[in-house]
Amino acid sequence: MAMITIQEISKISGYSPSTVSKALNNYSDISEKTRQKILKIAKDLRYVPNATAQSLVKKRSNTIGIVFEVEYGLNNLFFAKILESIRKQLEIQGYDLIFLSNNTNNGKDYLKHCYSKQVDGVFVISIGQSKEAVNKLLFSDIPVLSFDPDVEMKNSIYSESYNSIKTALKYLYDLGHRKIVYIQGSIYNFIGNMRYRSYLDFMKEYGLKPYYIKELDNAFYTFDEGYNAMRMNYERFGLPDAVLASSDLMAIGAMTFLKDKGYHIPDDVSIIGFDDIQLCEIIQPKLTTIRQDYEEIGKRASQTLIDMIENKISNIDPVIIPSKLIVRESCKQRK
Amino acid sequence: MAMITIQEISKISGYSPSTVSKALNNYSDISEKTRQKILKIAKDLRYVPNATAQSLVKKRSNTIGIVFEVEYGLNNLFFAKILESIRKQLEIQGYDLIFLSNNTNNGKDYLKHCYSKQVDGVFVISIGQSKEAVNKLLFSDIPVLSFDPDVEMKNSIYSESYNSIKTALKYLYDLGHRKIVYIQGSIYNFIGNMRYRSYLDFMKEYGLKPYYIKELDNAFYTFDEGYNAMRMNYERFGLPDAVLASSDLMAIGAMTFLKDKGYHIPDDVSIIGFDDIQLCEIIQPKLTTIRQDYEEIGKRASQTLIDMIENKISNIDPVIIPSKLIVRESCKQRK
DNA sequence: ACGTTTTACGAAATCGCTTTCGAGTAAATT
DNA sequence: AATTTACTCGAAAGCGATTTCGTAAAACGT
C-alpha cells in the first residue's frame, strides 16, 4: 500500500504542491475555501505526512532520543519507573521516544547517532560505563538531560538525597538508635557519593561512629549486594541498632540476612531503604523508606527537555526533585 | 555545529556527490584508491550520514516501532523484562527502537504513525484498550509482531501456557492436593483465557471440582487483586489445599492474605505462581512458579520481526516459547 | 592498430515535503 | 480613474542522501 503524497493531492485537487502543503499547515495565505477542499481530499485519501521528509527539511524530528545504559536495563525498577513516566509525558506532548542503539564497530558514539537520527534532544540514563561517549553528548549542541549525573552535574535531574538521608538518620536517632550501619551503592557517581557523604556528615555531627564496608563501594543496589554487605558488616561489627541502605532492594537483602540469622525486624534491628518500590508494601514488615517521586521526575524531565528544545537552551541548573521519608513498619524505638 | 554532508566531502575531495556516496557505501564501481581518499576525508571531517535523508530515499529506517499500551506501563515487570531483552537484541542487530506515542486528536491511529515515521516493523504490546487501532496495524502491510495476542492470534509470540499450567496442577495433584484454587487474570485475552481453560480442563480430567471467583475475570495480575481474590475464595469456599495463580504478584497477594489469616505456607496451603519475577526468590517462602523465559521471548521476537522485515514476510505462525515449572519452597506434600 | 570489453566516474532524477519570493487578481484607498 | 494594498496561489530551490544510466578512458584481445 503506497503512501499518499502531497503530489497526489496536488494532482487531484488541481492545486500546486506548495499550496497543498500550506493548506495542510495552516498558512495564512490560503483562502478558506481552497483549504477546505484540500483538507477534504487529504482526509478522503487518508493522507499521512511523511515525517522523514518533514524532518529532513525542517531539521526537527519531534523525536527525543534516550541513551539507556544501565546494569540490568529495564529490570532496574528505578529506571523503568522513570522511563514510564517520561513515556507518558512525551505522549501527551507529542514527541516520540527512541532508544538509541549503538553498534558502530568503532566504539560507541551516541553523538553521531543523535545527529544521524536527527533527534531534537536526548535523555541520558547511563551509569558510568561509557563516559566519553556520554560526555561528548553532554557538551554538544544537542539539548541533553541526564539522570544520575556525573560530577560535572551538567544538565541533570535527580532526587534530593542529602537532606532526606539526614532526615532518615535523624528519625533513627530519635528512636534511640546509635549504632547505625550504612549500606552504600556506588560511591563513584554523583548521587551515590552524595548519599554517602550525607551519612558521614550526619554521624560526625552527632558524634557517632560510622559503620559501613569500605570495600563494597561500587555496587549496583541489588538484593544480593545488600545481603552480602549486611553479612560482612555483621561479621565485622556485630549486630547494629539500625540499618540505612541506599536502595530498597539492598535494605531487603540486609533484612533477609538478619532474618536468616534469627533476628527480628524491627524488634532487634530497625531498617530503612531508599526508592520506595512496590515491594516495600509487600514484604513483612513493610519497609520504611525514602520515596523518590518517579512520576514527578519523569514529568519534570520531559518538560525541562522540551523547554530546552523549544527555546534553544543548552545549559540548565540541576533540577532537583524532593524525596520524602515514608514511615512503615521496619523501624521501632530502641529497647 | 552544522553536520557535514556528502556535498562538502564532494567539494573537498573533488569527486562528485554520487561518487562520494558510492565510496561510502562500498559500491564496486569505485576504484580502491579514490575510495580510500574519500573515506579518509569523511573520517577527518567526522562525517555522519543523515539517517533521515537515507530513509527518505531508501524507504527503510532501521527503526522498529513499539506500540506499548499496558496497564501500569513499564511498571509491569513482565513487559519491562521483555522490552529489555528486545532492546538488547535490537542493539546487536543495529535497529533502533521507537515508542510510538499517539496523541492525534482524532483518536489513536498507530498505523498512520508508523507510516509517518517510516518504521520498518512494529511490536505490539497492548492489552485490549484500543483494539481497532491495533487491528488496523495487524492487517496492514507493515510487519507486525504482537505479544499477548488477541483471539485471531495473527503474528504473535507468547509463552506456552496450556501445558505448563497442567504440569503445575499435576505437580500439586501428586503432592496430594485436591482442592485447588485458581486465581485468574483476565480471561478475555488469548493468554489469560488459555490458562483458564487449561485449569478447567485439568480439573475435569481428574474429576476435581474447580474453585475460582467468576466475577474476578478481568484482572491485571496485581498483588491487590491476588489478595482480594484469595479473600473472596476463602470466604466462599473455605481453606483450599493449594492455590495456582496466573501471576506471581497474584500468588504473593494470595499468600499474604493466607498469612494474615494466620496460616502457614506451605504447611497449610501450597501455592504456585506464574512468571518468575525476582520477588519469588526474595519472599519467604520462596515461590514455586512457572517461569516465562523473557530473555528468549525478546530475542526470538526481535529475530522474527527482523526476519519478516528483511524477507518481506507478512504472516507467520504463532511463535511459542516454552515455559517451565520452577520448584522452590511454596509447595509441600499434603498432610 | 583497431574493435571490444572493463573500469571509474558524474549528471541528473528522485524521495516527499517546506518555504521564499514573485506575480496576478481583486479589493480598498484617495 | 489611478494607485495602493491585500489576498491567493505557484514556481522553484533546497533538505541530504541514493541510484540509474551514460560516457570517457583504460585495458584487453587478435
Side-chain angles (χ1 to χ4, degrees), chain A residues 184 187 196 212-218 236:
Chain A
Q184 76 273 30
I187 65 165
Y196 169 70
Y212 64 97
I213 305 296
K214 288 202 182 59
E215 305 91 282
L216 305 180
D217 61 358
N218 199 9
R236 206 170 291 184

Side-chain angles (χ1 to χ4, degrees), chain B residues 255-284:
Chain B
M255 184 188 292
T256 302
F257 171 79
L258 292 171
K259 280 183 183 169
D260 286 354
K261 272 285 166 188
Y263 295 106
H264 190 268
I265 316 293
D267 297 326
D268 301 322
V269 182
S270 289
I271 298 189
I272 297 184
F274 202 112
D275 281 346
D276 196 24
I277 60 180
Q278 187 193 12
L279 191 42
C280 296
E281 296 246 319
I282 291 180
I283 54 156
Q284 286 301 328

Side-chain angles (χ1 to χ4, degrees), chain A residues 202-244:
Chain A
F202 180 92
M203 296 306 266
K204 191 164 200 176
E205 285 166 29
Y206 283 77
L208 303 176
K209 178 157 178 275
Y211 294 91
Y212 64 97
I213 305 296
K214 288 202 182 59
E215 305 91 282
L216 305 180
D217 61 358
N218 199 9
F220 288 115
Y221 306 93
T222 65
F223 176 87
D224 289 339
E225 291 165 336
Y227 189 97
N228 193 38
M230 191 66 240
R231 183 181 51 73
M232 289 178 68
N233 209 298
Y234 179 76
E235 286 165 2
R236 206 170 291 184
F237 307 118
L239 192 68
D241 294 345
V243 177
L244 175 61

Side-chain angles (χ1 to χ4, degrees), chain B residues 139-157:
Chain B
F139 289 93
S140 75
D141 57 342
I142 299 181
V144 177
L145 190 58
S146 164
F147 297 77
D148 219 46
D150 212 325
V151 267
E152 293 92 354
M153 293 198 359
K154 201 168 176 310
N155 294 5
S156 55
I157 181 167

Side-chain angles (χ1 to χ4, degrees), chain A residues 17-243:
Chain A
S18 11
T19 301
V20 174
S21 170
K22 289 182 188 171
L24 259 20
N25 291 288
N26 289 314
Y27 272 57
S28 63
D29 62 345
I30 300 294
S31 80
E32 195 49 33
K33 225 190 317 174
T34 64
R35 183 197 311 290
Q36 290 307 333
K37 276 195 234 169
I38 292 177
L39 254 39
K40 170 136 187 6
I41 298 183
K43 188 166 189 184
D44 290 349
L45 266 47
R46 301 175 192 289
Y47 167 75
V48 182
N50 184 318
T52 307
Q54 289 185 138
S55 39
L56 182 58
V57 36
K58 295 221 246 181
K59 285 157 178 343
R60 196 132 179 326
S61 61
N62 270 288
T63 301
I64 289 180
I66 181 161
V67 169
F68 193 75
E69 234 187 71
V70 174
E71 201 79 4
Y72 309 112
L74 287 167
N75 301 331
N76 185 313
L77 295 207
F78 173 62
F79 291 118
K81 281 186 177 232
I82 289 185
L83 211 53
E84 173 60 18
S85 171
I86 289 179
R87 206 182 63 74
K88 270 178 11 203
Q89 191 62 26
L90 289 189
E91 188 154 284
I92 294 170
Q93 306 259 3
Y95 279 83
D96 288 324
L97 184 66
I98 183 169
F99 277 104
L100 271 358
S101 77
N102 208 295
N103 70 335
T104 47
N105 16 16
N106 40 344
K108 309 232 170 204
D109 194 334
Y110 294 120
L111 184 54
K112 263 195 181 178
H113 204 141
C114 289
Y115 279 139
S116 181
K117 285 281 182 173
Q118 305 253 93
V119 299
D120 298 334
V122 190
F123 289 116
V124 173
I125 301 189
S126 165
I127 26 185
Q129 283 109 316
S130 41
K131 271 288 194 59
E132 340 83 81
V134 168
N135 272 344
K136 263 172 73 178
L137 248 187
L138 229 36
F139 290 94
S140 74
D141 57 342
I142 298 180
V144 177
L145 189 58
S146 163
F147 297 78
D148 219 45
D150 213 324
V151 266
E152 293 92 352
M153 292 197 359
K154 203 170 173 310
N155 293 6
S156 54
I157 180 167
Y158 50 87
S159 288
E160 197 292 309
S161 285
Y162 189 87
N163 292 321
S164 46
I165 288 274
K166 282 200 172 178
T167 304
L169 289 167
K170 181 65 165 41
Y171 171 70
L172 291 173
Y173 187 90
D174 288 344
L175 286 176
H177 304 301
R178 294 296 178 268
K179 184 174 179 182
I180 303 175
V181 162
Y182 181 64
I183 296 183
Q184 76 273 30
S186 169
I187 65 165
Y188 297 115
N189 62 7
F190 180 76
I191 300 284
N193 191 267
M194 176 184 276
R195 294 184 191 168
Y196 169 70
R197 282 202 342 268
S198 176
Y199 170 72
L200 293 183
D201 288 354
F202 180 92
M203 296 306 266
K204 191 164 200 176
E205 285 166 29
Y206 283 77
L208 303 176
K209 178 157 178 275
Y211 294 91
Y212 64 97
I213 305 296
K214 288 202 182 59
E215 305 91 282
L216 305 180
D217 61 358
N218 199 9
F220 288 115
Y221 306 93
T222 65
F223 176 87
D224 289 339
E225 291 165 336
Y227 189 97
N228 193 38
M230 191 66 240
R231 183 181 51 73
M232 289 178 68
N233 209 298
Y234 179 76
E235 286 165 2
R236 206 170 291 184
F237 307 118
L239 192 68
D241 294 345
V243 177

